[in-house]
Amino acid sequence: MDSTISPRRIDELLARYGEHHRHPMNELIHCICVPAIVFAVLGLCWLISPAVALLVAAGALAYYLRLSPPFAVGMLAMSALMLVVLARLPAGAVLPVSVVVFVLAWIGQFVGHRIEGRKPSFFQDLRFLLIGPLFVLAFLYRRWHIPY
């Protein structure tokens, strides 16, 4: 009988995501650009309706809760902060800010992967678009000694 403990799903996903993010410069770029992309996506959803942005955030949080309750708490805080910023932006600023942030952050992501020498992980599995924010949060949690 095998007595080894299999890794949790979140640990497997972070490890697979991490395979494409080993270069320190790529990691730094991701720590900046991934939250920026999340903000921009929520902003673009906000343009449709604030309710749509809330539903998108809630859907992602439901997925995160299944993977790791501590990560879901961190993402709830991050999402809430971003939604508050969006609510306080002048209505006419949400579109240009979201588009500019989205484009610049994706350029940064691809520059990071050029430095890394590997394609972005979401080319293999679209779930990694949702794991990217957890990769950044995992970095912070490890630094702050918060278990996830």
Side-chain angles (χ1 to χ4, degrees):
M1 189 183 216
D2 188 2
S3 64
T4 60
I5 298 172
S6 63
R8 298 175 310 155
R9 186 70 184 138
I10 184 60
D11 295 324
E12 292 173 6
L13 290 166
L14 288 172
R16 284 183 48 215
Y17 187 91
E19 291 170 5
H20 296 255
H21 306 88
R22 298 205 189 281
H23 192 283
M25 183 56 72
N26 189 27
E27 288 180 349
L28 175 62
I29 289 169
H30 275 64
C31 285
I32 295 165
C33 292
V34 167
I37 290 168
V38 172
F39 175 78
V41 168
L42 287 175
L44 294 170
C45 292
W46 187 274
L47 288 167
I48 298 167
S49 166
V52 171
L54 286 169
L55 285 172
V56 167
L61 288 170
Y63 177 66
Y64 295 144
L65 187 59
R66 287 181 50 222
L67 291 175
S68 164
F71 273 154
V73 170
M75 291 304 298
L76 174 63
M78 187 174 92
S79 299
L81 177 64
M82 291 177 179
L83 291 168
V84 166
V85 169
L86 288 166
R88 293 189 176 191
L89 277 176
V94 175
L95 178 61
V97 167
S98 297
V99 169
V100 167
V101 168
F102 187 85
V103 169
L104 291 177
W106 274 109
I107 289 170
Q109 293 283 81
F110 283 105
V111 167
H113 281 287
R114 176 94 170 140
I115 292 167
E116 182 82 36
R118 296 200 62 177
K119 291 180 182 175
S121 54
F122 72 85
F123 285 160
Q124 288 180 337
D125 187 338
L126 286 176
R127 281 182 302 178
F128 287 122
L129 290 170
L130 287 169
I131 298 303
L134 298 184
F135 181 78
V136 173
L137 202 53
F139 174 80
L140 293 174
Y141 276 28
R142 284 190 301 271
R143 187 170 199 154
W144 297 334
H145 306 288
I146 299 172
Y148 58 84

